[in-house]
């Protein structure tokens, strides 16, 4: 929740601006950004559209679960 609150208030024009705030973020294919949450206990995959200033969560899970997926192709699933 803390990440969401802070991220929702920010405006990023490109990945370099995002990286300046979230130094642990990594970009992968399909404009997806990987965030390490809670000291790398969790991983968050977010699809970013910097031009439209739009982002949505693709996937969230533990580091162990993250190691079992392909971050470039994992699909959003409704629960």
């Amino acid at each position: 929740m803390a990440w969401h609150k802070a991220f929702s208030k920010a405006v990023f024009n490109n990945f370099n601006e995002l990286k300046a705030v979230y130094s642990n973020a990594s970009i992968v294919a399909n404009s997806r950004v990987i965030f390490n949450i809670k000291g790398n206990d969790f991983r968050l995959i977010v699809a970013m559209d910097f031009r439209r200033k739009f982002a949505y969560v693709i996937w969230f899970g533990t580091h162990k679960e993250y190691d079992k997926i392909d971050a470039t192709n994992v699909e959003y699933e409704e629960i």
Side-chain angles (χ1 to χ4, degrees):
M1 294 306 296
W3 177 90
H4 181 267
K5 185 177 180 180
F7 189 83
S8 296
K9 294 178 183 177
V11 176
F12 302 108
N13 294 306
N14 55 54
F15 180 71
N16 291 333
E17 290 181 6
L18 184 145
K19 185 80 171 171
V21 176
Y22 295 97
S23 59
N24 65 359
S26 302
I27 195 164
V28 295
N30 300 326
S31 299
R32 293 178 178 199
V33 177
I34 313 299
F35 294 92
N36 297 318
I37 307 292
K38 194 180 168 257
N40 209 19
D41 287 345
F42 298 93
R43 293 284 177 96
L44 175 66
I45 303 174
V46 176
M48 300 290 303
D49 184 336
F50 293 105
R51 187 173 50 88
R52 293 185 180 129
K53 311 289 187 272
F54 183 80
Y56 65 96
V57 173
I58 299 288
W59 184 90
F60 178 77
T62 66
H63 190 127
K64 187 176 182 178
E65 292 168 326
Y66 175 83
D67 288 340
K68 296 177 183 176
I69 66 166
D70 178 358
T72 61
N73 293 315
V74 67
E75 296 288 330
Y76 171 83
E77 292 182 24
E78 289 189 42
I79 298 174

